[in-house]
Structure formats: structure tokens, C-alpha cells
Amino acid sequence: MVNPLQRYKSISVLILDDFSEFRLSLKQMVESFGVHHVDVCTNAEDALSCYSEHQHDILLVDYNLGDGLNGLQLLAELNHRNLLKYGTNYVLITGETASDLVMGALEYRPDDYLAKPFTKTTLKSRLDKLVEKSLAFKPIYTALNQDKPKTALELCDQLMAKNKRVGIECLRLKAEIYLKQLKYVQALSIYNSILHKRELSWAQMGAAICHLALSQSDQALSLCKLIATKNPQAVEAYDLACECFIQQHDFEAAYAITQKAIAASPNSIVRQRQLALLATRYNELEIAFNAYKRVMQLAKYSCLAQLDDYINQLCVCTQIQLTDQTHFARRAKKEYPAIYRTITKLYPSVQSQLAVEVHQIFVEYLVNKDGAKGEKLILVVDKIVDYPDALNSAFINLLEIIMKHADIEVVTAKLDPIITRGKAKIISHEDHEKSENFNQQGMVKYKEKAFESAQGAFATALANAPNNPNIALNLLQAAYQLHKQNQKFTLTKRQFALSLNALKTLAPHDHRHKQSQSLLNFAKAKLTG
């Protein structure tokens, strides 16, 4: 066993803070513990470079670092680049007390979290625990850093045999090794062995991840509910539950659980992105608009930023412009220049520049649909036709909006095959077989005059094929008949939004158009009345 007075001699520490007084204070504290190697940095970029060179044992990082990456974004960047070594302890330090900031900090899973102000005694107590664990697990961490998972697993077994006090931690690490190797059955076996003895939230979460990966979404969902019941702030459980609902094609439940997670912890790019995508699906454009705005704020300096976020925000703003004539539409249009600048600066690829060019010309065309503007649109569409690589999903969505609203036959003829091919390659949330099965069930129940059951079946069918006007009509008709039968109107706003979107495709001369407008007007009156 290492002498407690000597354990810090071999430890290296990196301190990152933009205030000189606090940096000096921290440096003096850790040096008083016996640390010989201390590096200090004032910004995240320098810290990245310094850590890459020295691979410190402990990182003491302040959350607020002025311009550039903050402490959380640095942690995300290190993980994203696969730079953070096993055995490195990342300690986040912050003076922030707002619950959403604290939740966001904890979600990134630093090894510890210190709130200012703190004493030297508190810091030493926290670091002692981290260093003790690191020393005990050092051979295992070394094997993992050398990409020798089999050796690491054997060393875990040896350590458990020698030291029963670290048994749970060894099992946890073994399960995480199996997870990283995508060996879900082995990982699940370990998590279940732990849960058989103790109800630990991290083991429940690990087991839920395994169940979902094995397409066992019901079991995963049950575990997520257990975690959330015990800890309503366990947003990771909400996120995983959302994935379960999406796997089950229950997008309404996925949307609801994502909104619940956002309320608890809004500072997550991935969660805000999911909210925006689901809100767009239900045509709740203001929610989608605000979620993408938040994504862009959080994505500044972040490795988690994506080109699709900016193109999808162009899509949302365009839909608002086309369907809303209030101040909100004017506000949405004002976003275009900033989005163009960001795309041009951060994503200088041919495809991203094409997306900006075609959108700019389309917006000009909407203002004045003269021949010259139409010709410009046709010319840029020709460039897209000649583009040799596959288009990303957001660009396909943008082109579909342009095709539907340009009213130029040549543009439609050129874009239609591109969109059809692109959508065939995109992994879709739609499940047409499931949709057809539920539609058939709904029709049976409708004939039996069991309108409540019929409405439920049609709602599930539409969620799995949201662009099908026939299913939308079936759903509205069932809701109408149920209302006539017992004066209850149970269609939700989201079901109405899906129906409205699906029925927009019906031309005025279509025999279903008149009935669809009548049912939509009835439903709208009931929902707003």
C-alpha cells in the first residue's frame, strides 16, 4: 500500500481557470498535498494541447472560461477525440448554482464536481478518494489504454479476488468494457448479477442500455421508469426511455418524455436536437424553432455541432414563413443571414454551400415569383442534379419543401427523383407494415362501432406513416363518430397536427378533399373552442 504522505509525489495535475488568483490558490493547495508536477492553463485550447502532451492524472477545470470552450465542452471534446485516458480524473469546478447548469454539469459525468467556494480540506478529501481508486485500478487502466480489453477483464477478476471492497467497482468496469465492445449479453449478465443483490441506479441504467441494444425495449422501458421513480432528475433515464419509445414507434410518448427531460436539464445539444426533430414531426414549429436556437447556442465551440442542425433550422424557418403571417414569421425570416454565415464559415463543403445557395434563391423567389427568379432557381437545381455525392437527410428535407412550394414544373421534375432516392437511403422512423396492421385493426373496430378503440388504432397507424392521408381521414372520422356517440372529443393536438400535415397533400379536385376539410375544421373548432 502506498504511504498516504507519498501518494501525490507521482501524481500530475493540470489546472484550468481564467482567473489568475484562483489558479495560484489551487496550485498552492495541490502542491501542499505533495504534488510535484503541476501545469496551469488559462483557456481550453491550451489545456487540450497540454493534456495531449503530458496526460495528467488529475484535471481541475473551472466551468466558466470566458470566450471559447467552457469546462463541460472541454470534457466533451476530450471524449469526442478519444483523448481522455482511463485513470485520468476530471474534476469540474464551478460557482454556478442554477439547477439547470448543475444538472448539465453532472450529465457530462465528470469524476467529481466541486462548488465554489471550497476549502483545502474539502479538495484533499475529494482527491484522496480519486487517487486511491486510480492507484488500485492502475494496471487495469494501463491495459485499457493499451487497447487490451481481455487483459483488463482478467486483471479485474484478479483484483476482485484480492480486494473484496472494490468488487462492485470491478464489476462495473467489466460491464463497461463489454459495453464498449458491443457485447451486450455479457454486460447484461453482470448488471443483472449486481441488481440481484442491490438496486443501484447505474446498474439499472446499464441493464436498460443492454436491453435496448438487444431490441428488448419493454424491459429497457421498465428499468427507465424504475430509475425515474426513484430519482425524477435522472434525465439519462428519460433520454433512454425516449429511444425505447422511438424503437416502438410511439413518437407521441417519445415527444412527451423528451419535453420532461428538457424541463429538468435543458443544456444538452443532443436532447434539444431530439426535441426539435419530434416537434417538427408534429408540426409544432415554434417549439422546433426554439429548440434549434438552443442547439445553436449550445453548439458554439462544441464538437457536437452538426451541419444538419443549421439546415433543419432553415427548413423550420421556411415552413413558418410559408404557413404563418404573424410577427413570428418575420422573426423566423430574420434568422436566415446568421444561419448562412455559420454554414459558410464552419462547413465549407460543396454540399453545404449548395444548401445555402438554393435556399437564398428560393426565398428571393417567394418574394417575387417572376421569370428571372424562377430561372435562377432552375440553374441552382441543375447544380444539385449534377452533384455526385449522396445528399444528407436535412438537405433532402429542404429540397422537398422547395419542390412543394416552388410551383415550377421543371424544378419538380428535376428534384422529385433526387428526393425519392435520398429518402430511400435515409433511416426512417416510419414502419409501414406496423402502420397497415393498426389501420386494419382500426377499420375492424370502426365497423363494430367501437370508435374509441378505432381511434387509438388509427392514431398508432398514423404515427408510423405520418404522410398517409387515408389513415389521417380514418383517424378524424373515428374521433368525430366517438364525439357524436358520447360527446367526448379525445383527439390530441399532436394527432391533429399529423392529420393536418398528411391531408395537405390532397389536391382540391381530389374526392377526399372536401371531407378532409370538413373534418379538420370540426377538429380545430373542438381543440380551440
Side-chain angles (χ1 to χ4, degrees):
M1 181 182 250
V2 179
N3 186 326
L5 297 174
Q6 301 294 317
R7 65 164 57 131
Y8 283 96
K9 279 192 174 181
S10 61
I11 297 294
S12 58
V13 175
L14 172 62
I15 294 169
L16 172 58
D17 197 287
D18 58 338
F19 284 102
S20 57
E21 288 183 14
F22 191 71
R23 284 198 307 274
L24 178 61
S25 175
L26 267 182
K27 186 172 186 291
Q28 290 171 342
M29 283 185 193
V30 297
E31 284 176 340
S32 73
F33 304 157
V35 177
H36 288 179
H37 180 175
V38 183
D39 289 310
V40 293
C41 294
T42 60
N43 61 69
E45 287 72 20
D46 289 346
L48 269 171
S49 176
C50 189
Y51 176 75
S52 299
E53 183 180 352
H54 298 292
Q55 294 177 358
H56 305 77
D57 300 296
I58 297 171
L59 276 67
L60 298 173
V61 181
D62 192 48
Y63 174 79
N64 283 313
L65 297 170
D67 292 335
L69 298 173
N70 63 36
L72 287 182
Q73 290 169 332
L74 174 61
L75 178 55
E77 191 80 22
L78 285 165
N79 283 315
H80 182 70
R81 295 193 195 181
N82 206 25
L83 291 175
L84 200 62
K85 299 294 181 183
Y86 284 95
T88 294
N89 291 296
Y90 196 100
V91 181
L92 191 72
I93 299 169
T94 180
E96 303 290 344
T97 56
S99 62
D100 59 341
L101 289 172
V102 173
M103 284 296 298
L106 295 177
E107 274 190 74
Y108 279 78
R109 291 182 174 244
D111 295 284
D112 209 339
Y113 173 90
L114 276 168
K116 296 178 183 176
F118 54 84
T119 64
K120 185 168 80 170
T121 304
T122 299
L123 178 63
K124 178 126 185 341
S125 173
R126 300 288 189 88
L127 294 187
D128 280 350
K129 291 176 184 175
L130 295 174
V131 171
E132 184 180 352
K133 180 183 173 183
S134 293
L135 290 172
F137 284 79
K138 189 172 183 180
I140 301 169
Y141 293 150
T142 300
L144 289 170
N145 288 328
Q146 293 172 350
D147 198 22
K148 296 178 180 177
K150 188 177 178 182
T151 302
L153 289 167
E154 291 168 356
L155 289 168
C156 280
D157 289 333
Q158 291 171 22
L159 182 58
M160 277 194 292
K162 286 183 193 173
N163 187 350
K164 295 194 185 303
R165 286 193 312 147
V166 297
I168 287 287
E169 279 300 319
C170 286
L171 287 172
R172 182 176 187 169
L173 187 53
K174 282 185 70 174
E176 288 174 0
I177 293 168
Y178 282 129
L179 272 183
K180 197 165 186 181
Q181 294 179 296
L182 308 184
K183 294 181 177 179
Y184 299 111
V185 173
Q186 292 92 325
L188 181 58
S189 175
I190 292 173
Y191 287 127
N192 283 338
S193 71
I194 294 167
L195 292 172
H196 186 67
K197 298 173 184 175
R198 294 170 64 186
E199 258 196 21
L200 296 171
S201 293
W202 60 261
Q204 290 172 327
M205 192 68 192
I209 290 168
C210 294
H211 280 303
L212 184 63
L214 295 167
S215 298
Q216 298 164 352
S217 56
D218 284 338
Q219 293 94 317
L221 201 52
S222 294
L223 285 166
C224 288
K225 287 175 180 176
L226 273 177
I227 297 166
T229 300
K230 193 162 55 176
N231 178 12
Q233 298 299 309
V235 288
E236 285 183 328
Y238 297 147
D239 291 339
L240 194 65
C242 175
E243 290 183 49
C244 293
F245 287 129
I246 288 173
Q247 192 177 94
Q248 295 174 351
H249 298 274
D250 188 348
F251 302 108
E252 194 159 351
Y255 190 19
I257 201 76
T258 300
Q259 289 175 308
K260 192 171 183 178
I262 288 281
S265 183
N267 294 328
S268 163
I269 291 176
V270 174
R271 190 173 301 122
Q272 290 285 357
R273 181 183 293 135
Q274 183 71 277
L275 176 66
L277 290 169
L278 288 165
T280 303
R281 181 183 186 90
Y282 286 101
N283 211 36
E284 294 190 353
L285 299 178
E286 188 166 359
I287 292 175
F289 173 85
N290 290 327
Y292 278 126
K293 283 279 287 183
R294 191 72 184 123
V295 166
M296 290 170 195
Q297 291 166 0
L298 294 167
K300 194 176 182 183
Y301 309 117
S302 172
C303 58
L304 300 176
Q306 292 180 3
L307 171 62
D308 274 14
D309 294 328
Y310 298 96
I311 298 179
N312 277 329
Q313 181 69 319
L314 284 179
C315 291
V316 169
C317 290
T318 307
Q319 287 174 286
I320 292 167
Q321 180 183 346
L322 289 164
T323 58
D324 192 327
Q325 299 306 313
T326 66
H327 71 283
F328 184 43
R330 293 192 292 275
R331 179 184 161 204
K333 284 188 282 186
K334 288 179 181 177
E335 295 294 315
Y336 295 148
I339 298 172
Y340 296 155
R341 284 194 300 272
T342 304
I343 292 174
T344 302
K345 179 182 177 182
L346 298 182
Y347 306 98
S349 68
V350 175
Q351 183 170 162
S352 60
Q353 303 314 305
L354 275 175
V356 169
E357 186 180 0
V358 73
H359 188 268
Q360 283 179 308
I361 293 170
F362 175 64
V363 170
E364 290 173 10
Y365 172 76
L366 288 176
V367 174
N368 183 6
K369 295 186 177 183
D370 62 24
K373 296 288 193 325
E375 287 299 320
K376 280 180 73 176
L377 189 58
I378 291 167
L379 287 173
V380 71
V381 166
D382 284 336
K383 288 186 192 178
I384 296 166
V385 170
D386 293 336
Y387 183 70
D389 299 332
L391 302 179
N392 65 30
S393 60
F395 198 179
I396 293 291
N397 291 337
L398 179 61
L399 292 178
E400 188 169 26
I401 292 169
I402 291 169
M403 184 184 75
K404 284 181 178 177
H405 296 278
D407 278 337
I408 301 174
E409 284 187 23
V410 177
V411 169
T412 301
K414 290 175 183 288
L415 288 183
D416 190 47
I418 294 173
I419 293 165
T420 303
R421 282 197 308 272
K423 284 201 158 187
K425 292 176 183 175
I426 295 168
I427 297 173
S428 173
H429 283 165
E430 296 185 16
D431 185 333
H432 293 287
E433 184 178 349
K434 185 174 181 179
S435 172
E436 183 57 31
N437 287 339
F438 274 95
N439 191 43
Q440 290 294 336
Q441 289 177 35
M443 290 169 72
V444 170
K445 294 296 179 185
Y446 189 91
K447 287 177 183 175
E448 293 172 354
K449 299 189 184 306
F451 298 122
E452 187 171 3
S453 298
Q455 182 182 325
F458 290 138
T460 303
L462 187 61
N464 286 280
N467 295 312
N468 190 314
N470 286 327
I471 297 174
L473 271 175
N474 290 343
L475 173 60
L476 291 173
Q477 188 67 37
Y480 173 73
Q481 292 296 339
L482 179 61
H483 172 73
K484 278 180 61 179
Q485 189 181 64
N486 60 11
Q487 297 301 304
K488 280 174 61 181
F489 190 76
T490 54
L491 192 79
T492 69
K493 288 182 179 179
R494 289 172 196 155
Q495 290 166 359
F496 175 78
L498 277 184
S499 303
L500 179 65
N501 198 52
L503 293 168
K504 278 181 184 175
T505 59
L506 296 182
H509 59 266
D510 190 301
H511 70 279
R512 297 167 293 178
H513 183 265
K514 187 175 180 180
Q515 183 192 17
S516 72
Q517 294 308 301
S518 175
L519 287 169
L520 284 169
N521 288 337
F522 169 78
K524 185 177 180 180
K526 286 296 173 186
L527 287 168
T528 57

